Amino acid sequence: MEAVGPQERLLDRGATAVAHPNIALIKYWGKRDERLIIPYVDSLSMTLDVFPTTTTVRLSPGARADSVSLDGMPASGEPKRRVIAFLELIRELAGRAEPAVVDTRNTVPTGAGLASSASGFAALALAGAAAYGLDLDPTALSRLARRGSASASRSIFGSFAICHAGRGEGAAADLGSYAEPVPVPDFDPALVIALVNAGPKAVSSRAAMRRTVETSPLYQAWATSSKADLTDMRAALRGGDLEAVGEIAERNALGMHATMLAARPAVRYLSPATLAVLDSVLQLRADGVPAYATMDAGPNVKVLCHRADAARVAETVRGAAPGCSAVTARRGPGARLRPGAGQ
Ligand code: PMV
């Protein structure tokens, strides 16, 4: 084998990571520190086995600036700015200065309006840390991913994970806000994702959160009740009780959307198609099928149900609104490096 000089080795330095999105059963909504991305509330989610993001970070010591591509196209604007700011953070932690080439590929159907920031920043944190030689344990990695997007901290882990809001301010808050697994080995439900065709979202989740915290008279009430929801959720998960898990998840999500509707001006992500799908979920329950809805910063609905009922639930939501499609997910794996690739 030919000897490789230090410069060539550095040029070759890269890593590829794969991460999956997660759906919160207890939502994160609102930041108490926008720079460090510290949430107001704890959140709890299920990582999915669909729609992975694959990200390669390769160091480029000769380059003058970072280069970022998303789904094979050069990134620009806000997405590019966020990736570069995240690379800056990794470089600061690693004490390194070389620019990087970042290539990110999402598998979410184009225009589906499903948030990919959770899988995106989880994959970027893992690939970036490996490429810059940062040795981080999963807790530290989740803390890092949180700086990209708080929900990304949970995608570091598979199955169910909790993101702690942390206490105090500044460095103490940063240290205390991380995700960790919530082991529930026997709970393996289906999550049917109803993709409603509703165009791009009008308000980013970042802007919507800020407006809700600053102006919604319902925000504090929801944040307080969310604490009780989390306690109840942990017990329901321990008991493997799908009906209790679903009821708590649904009330927590509807409460979160109520805070937004009461913001000034209101933030409304729920479209007529969303409401039609919610009605179909109520009808399923009336027909004896345990099915429960949750919604994020967009019009899509995710329906929690038993695996044995997933086909019927998918068929029902597809028929609920014109153009509605459905993808059935189960719990999925945590973020991982792809061996050999990009290295
Ligand atoms: O982390 P962000 O900025 O993508 O915000 C996610 C917020 C929700 O999806 C609405 C809730 C959650 O906990 O994932």
Side-chain angles (χ1 to χ4, degrees):
M1 193 198 262
E2 260 180 66
V4 178
Q7 183 65 5
E8 279 106 311
R9 221 177 279 133
L10 215 53
L11 278 169
D12 248 12
R13 188 85 169 266
T16 297
V18 181
H20 288 73
N22 69 73
I23 297 300
L25 302 175
I26 299 293
K27 303 292 185 191
Y28 142 62
W29 194 249
K31 299 175 183 66
R32 60 193 177 86
D33 183 321
E34 292 215 0
R35 188 181 69 81
L36 293 172
I37 312 201
I38 309 289
Y40 265 109
V41 293
D42 296 338
S43 55
L44 190 153
S45 61
M46 180 169 116
T47 299
L48 308 183
D49 65 348
V50 296
F51 305 147
T53 296
T54 304
T55 297
T56 299
V57 177
R58 200 179 290 281
L59 302 199
S60 183
R64 299 171 70 163
D66 295 314
S67 106
V68 183
S69 73
L70 289 177
D71 295 325
M73 301 289 285
S76 59
E78 186 62 7
K80 182 176 181 186
R81 193 200 62 74
R82 284 178 72 184
V83 170
I84 292 177
F86 196 78
L87 290 172
E88 290 293 353
L89 181 63
I90 295 179
R91 283 191 281 260
E92 198 183 304
L93 290 171
R96 308 273 296 254
E98 310 93 303
V101 177
V102 177
D103 178 77
T104 288
R105 295 188 190 248
N106 287 310
T107 51
V108 181
T110 314
L114 258 192
S116 49
S117 64
S119 53
F121 279 105
L124 183 61
L126 185 54
Y132 281 97
L134 270 181
D135 188 16
L136 302 179
D137 64 18
T139 305
L141 209 50
S142 76
R143 218 179 260 125
L144 174 63
R146 191 203 75 230
R147 298 287 297 270
S149 172
S151 57
S153 67
R154 303 183 307 238
S155 274
I156 295 297
F157 302 100
S159 293
F160 297 90
I162 183 169
C163 175
H164 301 285
R167 288 162 196 260
E169 316 248 314
D174 181 40
L175 203 64
S177 184
Y178 58 89
E180 63 179 340
V182 175
V184 267
D186 297 331
F187 188 61
D188 188 11
L191 196 69
V192 175
I193 303 168
L195 300 162
V196 308
N197 202 350
K201 66 171 123 171
V203 191
S204 72
S205 63
R206 228 162 236 228
M209 276 184 208
R210 185 182 305 142
R211 195 193 296 170
T212 307
V213 169
E214 286 174 359
T215 70
S216 175
L218 303 189
Y219 182 73
Q220 275 312 323
W222 173 77
T224 303
S225 70
S226 199
K227 283 199 179 99
D229 285 347
L230 178 64
T231 306
D232 294 350
M233 178 61 81
R234 296 191 81 142
L237 283 171
R238 269 196 305 275
D241 184 344
L242 178 113
E243 299 186 21
V245 169
E247 265 172 32
I248 300 160
E250 194 174 281
R251 76 185 184 216
N252 186 266
L254 287 169
M256 177 184 77
H257 284 275
T259 68
M260 296 181 217
L261 291 171
R264 295 160 192 190
V267 179
R268 183 172 64 82
Y269 288 118
L270 313 180
S271 70
T274 310
L275 300 183
V277 174
L278 291 179
D279 277 350
S280 76
V281 170
L282 283 181
Q283 189 57 51
L284 279 164
R285 290 218 287 272
D287 294 342
V289 179
Y292 303 88
T294 182
M295 297 84 66
D296 294 285
N300 300 313
V301 184
K302 296 92 184 183
V303 186
L304 191 78
C305 61
H306 288 296
R307 290 197 314 281
D309 292 328
R312 172 153 180 206
V313 170
E315 194 193 323
T316 303
V317 299
R318 267 188 216 112
C324 183
S325 61
V327 173
T328 298
R330 282 174 66 177
R331 53 189 209 183
R336 62 203 181 281
L337 283 172
R338 196 188 261 176
Q343 286 173 353

